[in-house]
């Protein structure tokens, strides 16, 4: 399943959730810590610590909301 690493209230994350919903995709959200030092998982996945980060079911990882939206439009 698609995983979205996010902050619930982050406008960039809301933009990505809106696109996921618009495309009727099933996804799970993972709430990321506000503590930068604890963002090891997204750092490991994407090489940076900002949200949103999307991990697709095939292992593809995309970060930056505009790039994620583009990826979803291109692939779904
Ligand atoms: N250009 C990025 C901006 C992402 C961004 O700034 N996310 C903020 C949350 S709204 C963030 O992760 N801030 C945490 C931090 O800088 O530590 C995008 O469109 O995804």
């Amino acid at each position: 399943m698609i995983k979205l690493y996010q902050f619930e209230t982050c406008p960039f994350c809301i933009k990505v959730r809106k696109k996921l919903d618009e495309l009727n995709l099933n996804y799970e959200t993972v709430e990321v810590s506000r503590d930068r030092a604890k963002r090891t998982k997204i750092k490991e996945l994407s090489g940076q610590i900002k949200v949103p980060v999307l991990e697709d079911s095939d292992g593809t990882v995309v970060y930056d909301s505009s790039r994620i939206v583009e990826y979803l439009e291109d692939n779904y």
Side-chain angles (χ1 to χ4, degrees), residues 40-52:
T40 45
K41 180 68 184 177
I42 60 166
K43 177 79 198 236
E44 181 191 306
L45 284 172
S46 69
Q48 53 88 62
I49 55 164
K50 286 191 176 178
V51 291

Side-chain angles (χ1 to χ4, degrees), residues 2 7 11 17 20 24 29 32 35 38 43 46 49-51 54 56-57 59 62 64-65 67 70 76:
I2 295 172
F7 296 155
R17 293 205 305 272
L20 286 160
N24 271 318
T29 56
V32 169
D35 181 347
K38 290 186 179 160
K43 177 79 198 236
S46 69
I49 55 164
K50 286 191 176 178
V51 291
L54 183 129
D56 205 345
S57 42
V62 189
D64 187 89
S65 59
R67 290 183 57 231
E70 199 179 304
Y76 291 98

Side-chain angles (χ1 to χ4, degrees), residues 6-7 9-13 15-16 32-36 39 42 48-53 63-68:
Q6 64 154 24
F7 296 155
T9 55
C10 157
F12 302 106
C13 303
K15 171 172 128 184
V16 171
V32 169
S33 174
R34 296 273 173 175
D35 181 347
R36 287 180 165 208
R39 292 190 213 148
I42 60 166
Q48 53 88 62
I49 55 164
K50 286 191 176 178
V51 291
V53 174
Y63 67 91
D64 187 89
S65 59
S66 297
R67 290 183 57 231
I68 295 171

Side-chain angles (χ1 to χ4, degrees), residues 1-33:
M1 180 172 317
I2 295 172
K3 269 191 197 172
L4 179 68
Y5 295 84
Q6 64 154 24
F7 296 155
E8 185 65 25
T9 55
C10 157
F12 302 106
C13 303
I14 292 170
K15 171 172 128 184
V16 171
R17 293 205 305 272
K18 203 174 148 210
K19 178 54 70 177
L20 286 160
D21 291 340
E22 192 184 302
L23 294 168
N24 271 318
L25 294 168
N26 284 325
Y27 62 96
E28 112 185 44
T29 56
V30 180
E31 202 61 17
V32 169
S33 174

